Amino acid sequence: MSIFAKPTSPSIPIALEIKNRFLEGFDSFKQIKHVHARLLRHGLDQDSYLINLLLRSNFESHNSSYSRLVFHQTREPNIYLYNTMIRGLVSKDCFDEALEFYILMRNENFLPNNFTFPFVLKSCTRISDFQLGLKIHALAVKVGFDYDDYVKTSLVALYAQCGFLEEAYKLFDDITDKNVISWTTIIGGFVKIGKFRDAIESFSKFLEMGLKPDSFTVVRVLSACAHLGDSKSGEWIAKYVRKTGMEKNKFVGTSLVDMYAKLGNMEKARAIFDGMAERDIVSWSAMIMGYASNGHPKEALDLFFLMQRENLRPDRYSMVGVLSACASLGALELGEWACGLMNRAEFLANPVLGTALIDMYAKCGKMALAWGVFKEMKERDIVVWNAMISGLAMNGYTKASFALFGQVEKLGFKPDGNTFMGLLCGCTHAGLVDEGRRYFYAMNRVFSLVPKIEHYGCMVDLLGRAGLLYEAHELIKSMPMEANAIVLGALLSGCRLHRNTQLAEHVLKQLIRLEPWNSGNYVLLSNIYSTNRKWDDAANIRLAMSQKGVQKIRGCSWIEVNGVVHEFLVGDETHPLSEKLYAKLSELAKDLKLAGYVPTTEFVMFDIEEEEKEHSLGVHSEKLALAFGLISTKPTDTIRIVKNLRVCGDCHSAIKLISKITGREIIVRDNNRFHCFYDGSCSCNDYW
C-alpha cells in the first residue's frame, strides 16, 4: 500500500520531506547516502516512488553502481523502476547492462511501454545488436507501441545504424510528427552508408519545414559535404551556421574546420579555428591533419608545437598528422621525438598509428625501422600491409615488395587499390615494364578490382619512362574515364625524357585546357624546346605564361638537422650560413670537375651563355640543402633532403658523384620518386 493512502499516518511528513529533498537536488553523493539512510531508518526503503527518485539522483551524480545496488535490494521492483534503471544506464553509455535489465524485466513478465522501447532500442543501436532489435520491434508492434513517434524514431536509428536504410526510410516516412531527432537520425543514416548527397538533400527539406537543427544535425551534414568534396553545399551550410550563431558551438566549429580542411581550403579552416572560443584536441587534430594532407607540412608542425604549449596531449589523429608532416619533410628526428610523446604500445596496437609510423620511417629511408614496426604490430590489416609494400617499393626494394604481396595473398587478405598502387610504383621505380603490365591487368582479371585513374597514371609513367610512348598514349585513349592532369603529366614527362616534342605538344594542349594556371605544363614544354635548341618556341611559351599571368613555381628543398627543418629556395641567399654554403658549393664544384663532371646545361630553361647556365644549375635548392647538410652534420650521418618539384637531371648526376667524393649517404625525395645515393650509385638504378 502506498504511504500516501492514509493522510493521518505519522510517516507521511517524513516521506514528503524526503521527496522534497530529492526534488531539490544534491551537491554531493554523500548527501544522497544520508537521505538513503533516512529511508532505511524510517522503513521507506521499499517505497517505489521514493526509490525511483533515489535511483535517478544516483545516476545524476554519476554513481550507476550504487543505483544497481539499491535496485537489487528492492524486493518488488515495478515497471517504473526498471525504466529508470534502463534509462539511467543508457545515459551512462552502459548499453549492455541496460539490455540485461530489459531481459530481467521480461523474465519477470513485465511488458515494456513507450518509455522502455526508445532506450532499449537505443542500446541495440549503439552496440549494433540488430537481432535483438528485431525482436523488440516485433514486441512493440504486438503491444501497440509501434505507432508512437518516439518509438518509431528509435527504430529508424536502429535500422539506419545497422545498414538497412530502405527500411529505416519507410519507418521515417510513417512518422506523423517528424522532429529534429528523427530528421537527424535519417541524415546520420545516409552519412553512415555513404549516401552523402541524400543526407544534404534531407537537410534542405528539414530546413524547409521550418525546423531548427541542433548541433548533431549540422555536424552530420557538414561531414557529408566533406566526404563529397562539395564546396558549394558546404558554403551554403556554413553560411546558415554563421547566420544562426551555431559556429560558437565547439562541435559545429570543429566540423567546419574539418570540412574546410577536407575541401582544401586551409585559409578558411584556420579562420574558423582561430575564432573558436573553446578548442579541444579534436579541433587541433583536424587542423593539423588538414595542413599535413593539403601539402603544408611546416604549418602542421608549427601548429603541433603550439598545441604542445597549450599542454594538450596528442591523440592518434594529431599524431598521424604530425608523422605525415615529418614524412613529407624527411624530418626523422622530429618524427621520433613526436612518437616519444605517446607510448610505443599505442602505435603497435593501433593500425592507424602503426601505418603512419611505418610510412614516416619509409619516407625517411629507414626501412629497417619501418620493418621493425611492421613485424611488431599486434593487428595488421590491409592498410598496414599496403604501407609496408609501398615503403619497400619506394626505397628500391622492389622484389621484397613483390614477396610481401605474395604473403598478403597467402594469409587471405584481399588486396585493394592501394596495394596495387604500391606494386605499380615499385615497378616504375625499377623500370620493370613486364611486371607492371602483369600487376595492372591482374587487378581486374584476377582480383576483380577496377583500375582507377591513379593506376592508369602509374602505368603511363612506367611506359613513358621506358620509351613506350605510343603504348602509353594508346592506354590513355582506352581509359574508361577522361584523363586528368596527373595521367597526362606522366605522359608529358616521358615525352621530355625521350625528346618527343610532337607528342608533348599534343599532350600539353590538353593539359593547359585542364589546368591553365599550372606553370609546370608550360615549363616542361619550354624545357623540351630548350633541350632541342628551339629557342624561339621556348620564348613563345614563356611569353604565353607572362600574358596569362602564370607564375613559375620556385624550387624548394627541406633538410632536417638536429630536429630543426631548414628550407632553401633556388638561388637562396637568406639563410644565416649562406656565405659558408656558397663556399662549400664552390669547393664541391672544383672536386666535381676533377672527378670529370660536366654540368648538364640542357636542363636549364633559358637561352643563355653556357657559363650562366652552369651557375643557374649550381644554385638549385637541393644543392644548397646538400651543402648545408655537409657542413652541419657528422661524416657518419645520413643526409635527407625533400624537394617540392622533380630533381633535375643535372642535380641527380651531381649528387650521385658528390656521394662518392664525400663518402656520404644522401637520400633525396622529390615529387616524382625516391633517390638514395651512396658511393656514386643511386637506388633508382639510373632509371631517371
Side-chain angles (χ1 to χ4, degrees):
M1 184 186 295
S2 170
I3 61 168
F4 298 104
K6 296 180 181 179
T8 56
S9 170
S11 3
I12 289 177
I14 296 296
L16 286 174
E17 182 189 337
I18 292 173
K19 172 191 168 183
N20 291 332
R21 186 67 189 88
F22 276 125
L23 295 177
E24 287 171 9
F26 300 94
D27 296 325
S28 68
F29 178 58
K30 187 176 180 181
Q31 291 177 353
I32 296 173
K33 290 181 76 174
H34 280 310
V35 175
H36 186 199
R38 291 195 72 192
L39 282 173
L40 291 165
R41 192 161 58 247
H42 292 283
L44 297 171
D45 58 308
Q46 296 302 314
D47 183 285
S48 296
Y49 179 76
L50 294 176
I51 291 301
N52 203 10
L53 292 176
L54 175 61
L55 293 177
R56 289 184 183 182
S57 298
N58 284 328
F59 280 117
E60 286 170 6
S61 68
H62 309 289
N63 221 304
S64 55
S65 59
Y66 198 74
S67 290
R68 286 193 291 270
L69 179 66
V70 170
F71 179 89
H72 288 303
Q73 287 177 347
T74 306
R75 288 189 289 274
E76 295 181 7
N78 58 21
I79 184 67
Y80 303 108
L81 295 185
Y82 274 109
N83 282 346
T84 298
M85 284 302 299
I86 291 168
R87 179 176 183 171
L89 288 166
V90 168
S91 72
K92 301 304 173 192
D93 293 343
C94 301
F95 305 112
D96 288 304
E97 293 176 53
L99 291 174
E100 286 173 13
F101 270 89
Y102 169 74
I103 293 166
L104 181 63
M105 181 189 83
R106 294 292 294 123
N107 289 340
E108 293 292 326
N109 294 318
F110 286 106
L111 279 175
N113 57 24
N114 58 329
F115 292 102
T116 320
F117 282 116
F119 293 103
V120 292
L121 286 168
K122 182 176 181 179
S123 295
C124 293
T125 302
R126 294 296 291 272
I127 64 172
S128 299
D129 191 340
F130 187 61
Q131 291 307 311
L132 180 57
L134 277 178
K135 292 176 183 176
I136 294 169
H137 186 185
L139 183 61
V141 173
K142 184 178 178 181
V143 296
F145 284 111
D146 59 316
Y147 288 101
D148 184 284
D149 282 347
Y150 289 101
V151 175
K152 270 186 184 170
T153 298
S154 300
L155 286 166
V156 169
L158 172 71
Y159 281 93
Q161 170 69 23
C162 295
F164 298 93
L165 201 68
E166 190 176 334
E167 291 80 359
Y169 202 79
K170 285 178 183 176
L171 287 163
F172 174 75
D173 249 359
D174 284 341
I175 297 174
T176 52
D177 185 18
K178 295 180 177 68
N179 58 17
V180 172
I181 297 172
S182 53
W183 276 103
T184 301
T185 300
I186 201 68
I187 289 169
F190 281 130
V191 171
K192 179 176 170 59
I193 66 166
K195 290 194 171 185
F196 306 118
R197 182 58 60 197
D198 289 329
I200 295 169
E201 288 173 0
S202 295
F203 182 71
S204 180
K205 291 176 186 175
F206 170 83
L207 294 181
E208 286 170 9
M209 291 180 66
L211 292 170
K212 185 178 179 182
D214 60 16
S215 61
F216 297 104
T217 323
V218 175
V219 164
R220 282 165 176 76
V221 78
L222 286 173
S223 169
C225 294
H227 279 97
L228 272 180
D230 185 352
S231 57
K232 186 177 179 182
S233 296
E235 285 292 352
W236 158 63
I237 295 164
K239 186 178 178 181
Y240 174 83
V241 166
R242 286 192 294 271
K243 182 181 175 182
T244 56
M246 291 183 73
E247 63 184 340
K248 294 174 184 176
N249 180 285
K250 178 175 67 175
F251 302 107
V252 173
T254 299
S255 295
L256 280 171
V257 169
D258 183 63
M259 181 193 73
Y260 278 124
K262 285 175 178 170
L263 293 175
N265 193 334
M266 291 311 299
E267 189 176 333
K268 284 193 175 179
R270 187 60 187 261
I272 297 288
F273 178 79
D274 287 341
M276 290 176 69
E278 185 183 353
R279 297 186 297 225
D280 60 11
I281 187 61
V282 181
S283 49
W284 283 91
S285 296
M287 275 303 300
I288 292 167
M289 280 288 287
Y291 275 133
S293 58
N294 282 291
H296 303 289
K298 286 200 74 178
E299 288 84 350
L301 291 177
D302 288 342
L303 197 65
F304 181 72
F305 295 142
L306 186 60
M307 187 184 88
Q308 287 287 293
R309 290 197 287 274
E310 297 278 335
N311 293 318
L312 279 171
R313 184 180 184 275
D315 64 359
R316 65 176 179 175
Y317 299 105
S318 56
M319 184 57 67
V320 167
V322 168
L323 290 177
S324 175
C326 290
S328 297
L329 295 169
L332 178 64
E333 290 180 48
L334 268 178
E336 291 189 322
W337 167 80
C339 288
L341 299 174
M342 295 182 79
N343 193 307
R344 183 173 173 82
E346 292 183 66
F347 288 92
L348 302 179
N350 188 302
V352 176
L353 280 172
T355 298
L357 187 54
I358 290 168
D359 184 62
M360 190 270 291
Y361 279 135
K363 286 179 177 172
C364 290
K366 286 289 190 178
M367 283 314 300
L369 293 174
W371 181 254
V373 174
F374 175 76
K375 292 296 286 182
E376 288 183 63
M377 289 289 293
K378 290 181 173 58
E379 181 187 341
R380 293 200 291 251
D381 58 15
I382 191 60
V383 180
V384 176
W385 284 90
N386 288 347
M388 199 64 222
I389 289 170
S390 296
L392 288 167
M394 181 196 312
N395 282 272
Y397 301 101
T398 311
K399 290 185 179 178
S401 71
F402 294 166
L404 209 59
F405 175 68
Q407 287 293 308
V408 167
E409 293 182 275
K410 187 177 177 181
L411 292 170
F413 287 99
K414 187 180 179 184
D416 59 17
N418 289 329
T419 317
F420 285 95
M421 276 299 294
L423 294 168
L424 291 172
C425 286
C427 293
T428 303
H429 190 96
L432 302 174
V433 176
D434 291 337
E435 287 83 349
R437 287 197 193 102
R438 189 174 74 248
Y439 283 123
F440 180 76
Y441 292 111
M443 283 185 69
N444 188 271
R445 294 172 185 170
V446 180
F447 298 97
S448 301
L449 291 169
V450 179
K452 294 182 180 178
I453 197 160
E454 53 263 34
H455 300 106
Y456 281 98
C458 267
M459 274 306 295
V460 169
D461 193 24
L462 171 60
L463 296 169
R465 289 174 185 279
L468 302 170
L469 298 174
Y470 175 77
E471 184 180 344
H473 195 207
E474 288 300 308
L475 181 63
I476 291 175
K477 289 194 281 187
S478 72
M479 284 167 52
M481 71 285 288
E482 188 178 348
N484 64 7
I486 295 171
V487 174
L488 293 171
L491 180 58
L492 193 58
S493 294
C495 293
R496 181 205 181 286
L497 189 63
H498 298 283
R499 304 186 183 187
N500 189 325
T501 310
Q502 187 177 358
L503 182 57
E505 286 183 87
H506 170 73
V507 174
L508 187 68
K509 287 175 184 176
Q510 297 178 66
L511 274 170
I512 290 173
R513 189 167 60 250
L514 280 173
E515 41 178 33
W517 63 87
N518 189 337
S519 65
N521 302 327
Y522 301 90
V523 171
L524 193 49
L525 185 62
S526 179
N527 282 346
I528 292 170
Y529 286 141
S530 297
T531 300
N532 289 284
R533 297 189 168 287
K534 294 184 176 181
W535 306 118
D536 290 341
D537 291 331
N540 288 335
I541 291 293
R542 295 198 298 275
L543 181 62
M545 285 179 68
S546 176
Q547 288 173 342
K548 293 179 181 180
V550 179
Q551 297 294 317
K552 184 176 180 291
I553 299 171
R554 294 188 72 187
C556 175
S557 295
W558 298 280
I559 180 172
E560 180 199 37
V561 175
N562 297 325
V564 178
V565 177
H566 297 260
E567 183 179 78
F568 294 93
L569 298 171
V570 59
D572 204 338
E573 294 183 356
T574 61
H575 195 276
L577 298 179
S578 277
E579 197 173 318
K580 290 183 179 180
L581 296 184
Y582 282 94
K584 185 64 178 178
L585 286 176
S586 297
E587 179 189 321
L588 287 171
K590 293 174 185 175
D591 292 337
L592 285 169
K593 276 194 175 179
L594 289 173
Y597 162 77
V598 177
T600 317
T601 54
E602 66 182 51
F603 292 104
V604 181
M605 179 177 171
F606 305 107
D607 178 21
I608 53 179
E609 295 298 322
E610 291 297 313
E611 188 178 337
E612 288 182 76
K613 289 182 183 179
E614 289 185 26
H615 174 72
S616 176
L617 289 168
V619 292
H620 278 188
S621 63
E622 58 267 54
K623 286 180 179 170
L624 287 166
L626 176 55
F628 179 72
L630 289 170
I631 67 172
S632 305
T633 60
K634 294 180 289 187
T636 54
D637 290 344
T638 298
I639 295 173
R640 293 180 181 82
I641 298 167
V642 176
K643 187 176 180 182
N644 66 329
L645 304 174
R646 181 175 175 171
V647 173
C648 81
D650 177 76
C651 286
H652 187 275
S653 301
I655 295 172
K656 187 170 70 169
L657 202 50
I658 289 169
S659 74
K660 185 174 184 179
I661 293 168
T662 61
R664 301 291 293 270
E665 182 180 12
I666 304 164
I667 296 174
V668 181
R669 197 176 80 247
D670 59 16
N671 71 342
N672 184 61
R673 66 194 332 202
F674 202 101
H675 310 271
C676 184
F677 303 92
Y678 187 70
D679 198 26
S681 65
C682 176
S683 61
C684 64
N685 300 317
D686 289 334
Y687 186 71
W688 181 83

